Every structure is written in structure tokens, then in C-alpha cells.
Amino acid sequence: MSRRSTTTMAAVALVCAVTVLAAPGAAYAAPTPTPTPSPSTTPGNKDLEAVRAKIDKLYHDAAVATDEYNAAEEKAEKQSDAIVKLAQKIADGQDRLDRLKSSAGAVAREQYRSGGIPRETQFLLSGDPQHFLDSAGRMYQGQQATKNLLSQLADTQDELARYADDASARWKELDEGAKDKAAAKKKIERQIDEAQELESTLEKKERERLRKLEEQAEQQAQTAWLSSGVLKEINGRATPAGKKAVQFATAQLGKPYVWGAEGPKSYDCSGLTSQAWAAAGHGIPRTSQEQWKQLKRIDIKDMRPGDLIIYHDDASHVGMYIGDGAIIHAPRPGRTVTVAGAGSMAILGVVRPDA
């Protein structure tokens, strides 16, 4: 069982025992649109090209679902932390309530012992008016203290009720998030299984040709991007934090892509970028879509190493720019963290974690 699951279960148990998620800004496009061009095909390649297109779509859909899964996971972690904090507040409030009840009980017992005799009667029975007046003053102070005590008691009870309601609502959200995560997981696995099954039907030579077609498409896209002259305009130098992020990402080269993974042995695309920037001292959103929404957008000509390039219209992929027209990214299932051309996929825009 994971630490997160254990923490959540402990928090919920404690709650039960004591109580009987920025609008995106303007987009910046690449200087020249760079849609992925289709490689030239011969009649013998047409069927294989159709297979490549279908596999690409399946992995793309799996990437979108992975972002949904990661978003649900991140939300669940925050909800779990909130439940833990609420549980501690409820426990502290219950202790305070118990102390207040004990104090109120002591006051009630004292009043019972005094017989609750009115002050006028005490005055008539007293042979010493000054003594009575002194006693009356103390009695008034006691009454005020009792009033304050009862007020604190009522406030604490109301506070505990609010905490309990909040904890219940967050637990419901956590349960709904778990269902969303399970649905996203099912979608991811279905898309990946279908893509891998499709690949497995190919002969070894066909799989090799398929890989070459993929590389050819990426190279042609990168060539078209570089031919736009954009690289001549990019002169940005990495910040100290950017250098640390690039160093972290570089150290992950060769590690496998695993959806939902954020290290240290494997990564998905946004798991790599978020962990790289965490290592550089800057926490950023977990998913590529949230990175696109929340981080500062910059013009591609102002790009510098460490910046993140967001790909596809739905912001379903992200890579880290490392300079000289290249990125480090975790591509997809069956691949490893690698260096690729920054223009080898359709660029949506660039964001800067340390702006």
C-alpha cells in the first residue's frame, strides 16, 4: 500500500472516530505553422503509413487520458492532505470541547453546592453588608466567566460541526476523483493495448519499416521547422534554475516511458518536466495541460534552455528545450526518454517555469 493511501485511510478513520482546482492567456504560435508533414510514400508503403497514422492516434489518445489520470491523481493528493489537516483540527477541537465541558460541569457543581440562593436573600441573611458586596462582585465575575465558558462551548461545537461537514464533502470528492482516475486508467490501457496489438501483427521487417517511417516524419517536421529560420532568432541563455532543470532531464536519458510515472525509474512526458523543475527548486503543475494553462507563455523566438514546449492543439505533450533546436522528452509507451528535434511535432506554444 502506498504512503498516500495509508495517510488517507488514517485521516478518514480519525475523522469518523471524532465526529460520530486560471483561465488560459493568449496563445503564442510558432513563427511559421509547422504541421507534421506526411513522408513520401510508395505504393508498398501506403498500408504501413495507414497503420502508422492509426498507431499515432491511439498513443495520442492515451496521452490525453494520461493527463486526465495525472490531474485526478494530483487533485486526490491535495484532497487527502486537506482531510488529514481537517482530522487534526477535529481532534484538537474535540480535546478543547472536552476541557470546556469539564469546566462547565465544575461550575454547575459549584452552583449546586451554593444552593443557588439569590443575592437579595444573601444580603438579608448576612450580618456584614460589606462582605456581601464583596461576595456579590465575585459572583458577578463568576457569572460572566460562566457566560463566556458557555459561549466558547457553543462556538467549539459549531466549529466541530463545520469541520466534520467539510471533511465529509472532501471525502466525497476524493471518492469521485478515484472513479475519474479509474476511468482514465481504463481508457489509457485500452488505447495502448490496441496500439501494441496492431504493432504485433506486423512482421519484424514491417516493424522496422514502421519505425523508419516514424523517424522520417519527425525529421521532415524538424527540417521544415528549422527551414523557417526560427533557430536564428533564438538566442536565450539558460538561467541557473534552467540549467539545473536541463541537467536533471539529461540524467534521465534512456529511462522508459511509463504513463503516470514521475520517476525515479520511469517517466511520462509531464512527469519528466515537472520533476526536472522541482529539482531546480520550482514546483510546477503536474500535467502538460495545466503547465500550458498556468505557466507564463513566451514567444518562441525568446525561448531559452529549460523552457517547456507544449505540443498539439490539446496540449497533450510536453518536452524541455535544451538549445540548438532540440528537446528532451518522454515520447510514448515503448520508448525511452530521449533527445528529439524541437520542431518534430506540432508546436502549440512555449511556457517558462521560472519567469
Side-chain angles (χ1 to χ4, degrees), residues 109-131:
R109 289 191 294 272
E110 180 61 29
Q111 289 178 341
Y112 177 78
R113 282 194 295 269
S114 69
I117 300 174
R119 285 182 293 172
E120 294 82 356
T121 303
Q122 291 184 30
F123 178 77
L124 293 173
L125 295 175
S126 174
D128 186 350
Q130 184 60 46
H131 174 71

Side-chain angles (χ1 to χ4, degrees), residues 23-91:
Y28 292 85
T32 302
T34 57
T36 303
S38 299
S40 58
T41 59
T42 64
N45 280 345
K46 285 183 178 180
D47 290 341
L48 199 57
E49 182 63 24
V51 170
R52 184 187 74 85
K54 186 171 183 179
I55 288 174
D56 281 352
K57 185 179 186 308
L58 287 168
Y59 280 127
H60 172 267
D61 292 346
V64 174
T66 297
D67 246 21
E68 294 171 0
Y69 178 92
N70 290 335
E73 181 79 1
E74 187 176 36
K75 184 177 180 181
E77 184 175 0
K78 292 178 180 178
Q79 289 167 341
S80 178
D81 290 344
I83 289 173
V84 171
K85 292 176 181 178
L86 282 169
Q88 187 59 56
K89 287 182 178 180
I90 291 172

Side-chain angles (χ1 to χ4, degrees), residues 13 154 180 186 345:
D180 291 341
K186 188 175 181 180
M345 295 167 284

Side-chain angles (χ1 to χ4, degrees), residues 10 21 25 36 54 96 100 118-119 131 139 158 174 204 211 214 257 269 274 286 291 310 325 342:
L21 17 144
T36 303
K54 186 171 183 179
R96 186 165 68 253
L100 289 170
R119 285 182 293 172
H131 174 71
M139 182 179 293
D158 290 343
L174 191 63
K204 182 178 180 181
R211 185 62 183 265
E214 292 175 354
Y257 176 105
C269 66
S274 60
R286 169 65 177 86
Q291 289 170 5
I310 309 297

Side-chain angles (χ1 to χ4, degrees), residues 29-331:
T32 302
T34 57
T36 303
S38 299
S40 58
T41 59
T42 64
N45 280 345
K46 285 183 178 180
D47 290 341
L48 199 57
E49 182 63 24
V51 170
R52 184 187 74 85
K54 186 171 183 179
I55 288 174
D56 281 352
K57 185 179 186 308
L58 287 168
Y59 280 127
H60 172 267
D61 292 346
V64 174
T66 297
D67 246 21
E68 294 171 0
Y69 178 92
N70 290 335
E73 181 79 1
E74 187 176 36
K75 184 177 180 181
E77 184 175 0
K78 292 178 180 178
Q79 289 167 341
S80 178
D81 290 344
I83 289 173
V84 171
K85 292 176 181 178
L86 282 169
Q88 187 59 56
K89 287 182 178 180
I90 291 172
D92 293 343
Q94 190 65 49
D95 288 343
R96 186 165 68 253
L97 184 63
D98 290 342
R99 291 194 300 271
L100 289 170
K101 285 181 177 179
S102 178
S103 298
V107 170
R109 289 191 294 272
E110 180 61 29
Q111 289 178 341
Y112 177 78
R113 282 194 295 269
S114 69
I117 300 174
R119 285 182 293 172
E120 294 82 356
T121 303
Q122 291 184 30
F123 178 77
L124 293 173
L125 295 175
S126 174
D128 186 350
Q130 184 60 46
H131 174 71
F132 166 73
L133 293 174
D134 291 342
S135 298
R138 288 193 297 272
M139 182 179 293
Y140 176 77
Q141 293 174 353
Q143 288 174 339
Q144 289 299 110
T146 302
K147 183 178 179 181
N148 291 338
L149 177 63
L150 294 176
S151 177
Q152 289 181 47
L153 190 61
D155 289 346
T156 300
Q157 289 174 322
D158 290 343
E159 187 178 72
L160 282 173
R162 288 195 300 272
Y163 287 155
D165 289 344
D166 196 2
S168 178
R170 288 184 181 275
W171 172 247
K172 184 178 179 181
E173 290 176 1
L174 191 63
D175 185 51
E176 291 172 351
K179 294 177 183 177
D180 291 341
K181 194 167 68 170
K185 178 180 179 181
K186 188 175 181 180
K187 189 187 301 182
I188 295 164
E189 292 174 339
R190 184 176 66 249
Q191 302 287 357
I192 292 175
D193 287 346
E194 189 175 343
Q196 292 177 341
E197 185 177 349
L198 186 56
E199 281 190 88
S200 70
T201 63
L202 301 174
E203 298 286 342
K204 182 178 180 181
K205 288 184 178 180
E206 290 176 322
R207 288 198 297 271
E208 291 175 355
R209 286 170 55 209
L210 180 66
R211 185 62 183 265
K212 287 181 179 180
L213 284 174
E214 292 175 354
E215 292 174 354
Q216 183 182 348
E218 292 173 358
Q219 289 169 0
Q220 288 187 1
Q222 175 71 353
T223 298
W225 184 70
L226 293 176
S227 296
S228 70
V230 64
L231 196 59
K232 296 178 181 178
E233 299 179 1
I234 300 174
N235 297 308
R237 292 185 178 182
T239 62
K243 289 181 180 178
K244 289 181 181 179
V246 170
Q247 287 170 354
F248 180 94
T250 303
Q252 314 315 310
L253 288 170
K255 293 184 178 180
Y257 176 105
V258 174
W259 65 267
E262 47 188 333
K265 296 182 179 180
S266 57
Y267 296 88
D268 63 19
C269 66
S270 57
L272 176 65
T273 55
S274 60
Q275 288 301 305
W277 273 101
H282 290 262
I284 64 173
R286 169 65 177 86
T287 69
S288 58
Q289 292 176 345
E290 289 304 310
Q291 289 170 5
W292 174 241
K293 287 179 182 178
Q294 296 185 37
L295 300 180
K296 182 179 179 180
R297 300 179 186 182
I298 62 168
D299 197 305
I300 199 167
K301 67 181 176 61
D302 297 322
M303 188 164 57
R304 66 192 185 199
D307 288 342
L308 306 182
I309 304 181
I310 309 297
Y311 294 96
H312 310 305
D313 289 343
D314 53 8
S316 58
H317 190 69
V318 60
M320 179 178 291
Y321 185 65
I322 58 174
D324 295 327
I327 60 167
I328 289 178
H329 71 145

